Amino acid sequence: MKMLSRILALAALTAALASASARAEDVKAGDLVITQAWTRATPNGAKIGGGYLTIENKGTTPDRLVSGSGDVAGKIEVHEMSMDNGVMKMRALDKGLTIEPGKTVKLAPGGYHLMMFDLKNPLKQGDKVPVTLEFEKAGKVSVSLDVQAVGAQAPGGSDHSGHGDHSGHMDMKKM
């Protein structure tokens, strides 16, 4: 009987771990497929955070990610980070981010990303953060960002290097 109890406990633990590590669900909107939606945990008092995901356009016409919204933040914008003469610059993409037909665009630390301003509460590792993305053609799409570790560089990762960190939200000199 003890052996059966141990097997059941191990099975329950395995199921719990598998469900906790399951990746974010794919979301389909028109010709777009959105995968790997995630964000980083933030310290108490942080007012900004980044959102990351992958968007694939399986259609024959381009679409454009125009903006985002959600109860988590006062404002969500589409941003780009890039190097300019050795200085990392971040800017809002006022016209949005185009997803060409047959292409995949990845929003990730150090590149394109969602910028969440005026966070209402800290983002805690393990939580799911609902946001609404607005596309020019596909319209409004609800996704859930899986909250990863503070220094994560990808879903399920835990790189604590701080590259692409938004806590300062300022130009950074290349080292």
Side-chain angles (χ1 to χ4, degrees):
M1 201 57 156
K2 275 187 173 180
M3 184 60 112
L4 181 59
S5 295
R6 285 184 183 157
I7 290 172
L8 291 174
L10 184 60
L13 178 63
T14 302
L17 289 174
S19 66
S21 64
R23 65 186 186 96
E25 291 184 26
D26 295 359
V27 176
K28 293 184 171 107
D31 292 328
L32 303 178
V33 179
I34 301 162
T35 59
Q36 299 177 347
W38 67 284
T39 185
R40 291 182 177 136
T42 59
N44 287 337
K47 289 295 177 191
I48 52 177
Y52 314 104
L53 46 97
T54 301
I55 307 166
E56 181 181 3
N57 185 344
K58 294 187 174 213
T60 57
T61 59
D63 203 340
R64 183 183 314 265
L65 174 59
V66 180
S67 66
S69 60
D71 292 340
V72 67
K75 178 169 63 169
I76 300 176
E77 296 178 348
V78 182
H79 277 218
E80 174 185 36
M81 288 182 78
S82 60
M83 292 299 290
D84 183 15
N85 292 325
V87 177
M88 183 67 81
K89 300 223 176 196
M90 187 176 332
R91 69 181 180 96
L93 297 176
D94 296 329
K95 295 180 181 174
L97 176 60
T98 301
I99 299 93
E100 295 292 342
K103 302 285 185 191
T104 298
V105 175
K106 188 169 186 129
L107 282 70
Y112 298 119
H113 58 278
L114 299 173
M115 194 70 213
M116 298 181 284
F117 293 96
D118 190 26
L119 290 175
K120 305 300 183 202
N121 295 297
L123 305 177
K124 298 197 181 305
Q125 186 172 350
D127 284 354
K128 292 188 179 298
V129 177
V131 296
T132 301
L133 305 176
E134 186 162 352
F135 291 91
E136 192 172 73
K137 294 192 172 105
K140 292 186 177 186
V141 181
S142 296
V143 299
S144 184
L145 304 176
D146 290 337
V147 184
Q148 304 293 318
V150 170
Q153 290 296 302
S158 60
D159 176 0
H160 295 285
S161 65
H163 293 296
D165 182 34
H166 292 92
S167 57
H169 195 71
M170 62 181 79
D171 291 347
M172 297 175 279
K173 296 256 185 233
K174 184 178 180 184
M175 302 204 161

